[in-house]
Amino acid sequence: MSHVARSQDSTFSSHQFIQLALDNQVLKFGEFVLKSGRISPYFFNAGLLATGEMLSLLARGYADALAEQLAEQMAASDNGTDEQELVIFGAAYKGIPFVAATAQALWHHHGINAKWGYNRKEAKTHGEGGNLVGADVSGKAVWVLDDVITAGTAMREVVDILEQAGASVAGIIVALDRKEKGLAEHSAIQELAATLEVPVRALVDIDDLISYLSDGESHYKDATQLAKMQHYRAQYGV
């Protein structure tokens, strides 16, 4: 069992998250063939966010973004109320620990008692049945948490699941935005935001990765890798 001294609680830091992701092979620099056939100079594998430290930092990022979004909505509200129900949702399977940890982070760091739920890959035919677990989303505006949106297909499936349950999507927060063109001139995130007419936010994006590589104090400062990232951004970025 490993015991390390924990740093004091602070707000989410994209630099800290990138550093931790690199240290744990969640984020890798190199050459990676994507489904699109593009050769990407980096790869992000959220399935490797498999320690308490990494999951806690990710959840803090989601929680801070959600709390900020709620504060903005309340400031813009005309009804003068400061009470707003928050329901968050994670898609099976990777989204389940993300949403559970985020609910805890919202309560611990922001005093927000969010309701949370997730879906099953296959509907349960016994007991309570159905394919949704956790909070009742019927009639609710739900925030969806995800790791990366590439083509947007999986997210559209989540939206369909929520709509079938009588819910609507309030917004989407992803861990990483590649800011990359799809078949058209827009990214999948831009297309989703336009189609659903909801905010889609990211904790970290490719510009943060480029900034990290160019930081003189970065453990992974690499001029060659930085040039590859900048070229890829110029070629495929939005």
Side-chain angles (χ1 to χ4, degrees), residues 17 21 24-28 32 42-50 54 94 98 147-148 175-176 178:
F17 181 73
N24 289 275
Q25 302 296 301
V26 175
L27 174 65
K28 295 181 180 180
F32 306 91
Y42 71 103
F43 187 74
F44 183 80
N45 182 2
L48 295 179
L49 289 163
M54 288 188 289
K94 283 186 287 187
F98 296 169
D147 54 352
V148 181
L176 175 67
R178 294 180 64 93

Side-chain angles (χ1 to χ4, degrees), residues 89-96 118-122 158:
F89 187 87
Y93 292 104
K94 283 186 287 187
I96 297 174
Y118 60 92
N119 67 296
R120 297 187 178 97
K121 285 286 189 179
E122 297 179 1
V158 172

Side-chain angles (χ1 to χ4, degrees), residues 194-227:
T195 301
L196 299 176
E197 297 182 333
V198 299
V200 181
R201 300 181 53 163
L203 305 183
V204 174
D205 59 36
I206 186 173
D207 294 326
D208 292 315
L209 302 184
I210 291 172
S211 176
Y212 177 88
L213 284 171
S214 62
D215 185 349
E217 297 182 0
S218 166
H219 295 178
Y220 289 82
K221 185 178 181 181
D222 185 327
T224 301
Q225 186 61 47
L226 174 60

